[in-house]
Amino acid sequence: MAALIYQHGRTFMTHNQPPEGPLAQGPVTEHESVNETQSRSMHRTVSSRVVGQAARTATAKTAKGKDKDSTGSPQRPNASQVSAWKKENKASIAETAKHFNLPPTIAKRWCAVA
């Protein structure tokens, strides 16, 4: 059975498939077609997001196999942590910067503020 599907002002012929869905019910406006496409796209996105979140919680890995906790950039220490460590260890600015993996100018500024 062949079905005619009207979409964006064009006619599409499908073979060996019974007509089904909103596009097979007759001519549709371009607005209705766009809404349907956006709806399907949003549904796929949401369902993929749910599947991904479930997989991450189950395996503690991302889709690429990375650890879930290691995604994104590492958290940097704040000024009070840097200043406190420098005072506790009686370290220089260079040692403090190296310990926290910071540029020396940032370490100097944070130690001067706190």
Side-chain angles (χ1 to χ4, degrees):
M1 170 185 262
L4 292 177
I5 299 176
Y6 300 98
Q7 182 180 15
H8 298 288
R10 292 177 281 169
T11 304
F12 298 95
M13 180 77 77
T14 61
H15 297 283
N16 300 327
Q17 295 176 349
E20 58 184 38
L23 294 179
Q25 294 174 359
V28 295
T29 64
E30 186 173 345
H31 179 72
E32 290 170 342
S33 176
V34 168
N35 283 346
E36 182 66 28
T37 304
Q38 288 174 347
S39 170
R40 283 191 302 244
S41 177
M42 239 169 35
H43 179 69
R44 280 196 311 269
T45 302
V46 169
S47 63
S48 296
R49 195 175 294 148
V50 168
V51 168
Q53 288 172 349
R56 276 193 299 278
T57 56
T59 63
K61 300 266 186 198
T62 63
K64 293 184 178 181
K66 297 180 181 179
D67 289 332
K68 180 175 71 169
D69 297 330
S70 68
T71 57
S73 58
Q75 290 186 347
R76 290 176 58 176
N78 59 26
S80 60
Q81 290 173 329
V82 173
S83 178
W85 185 88
K86 182 181 180 302
K87 287 177 185 174
E88 286 175 14
N89 295 299
K90 298 178 184 167
S92 67
I93 295 292
E95 292 170 338
T96 305
K98 188 174 181 180
H99 176 76
F100 287 103
N101 197 22
L102 294 172
T105 54
I106 300 287
K108 187 184 293 186
R109 183 182 316 135
W110 285 358
C111 290
V113 170

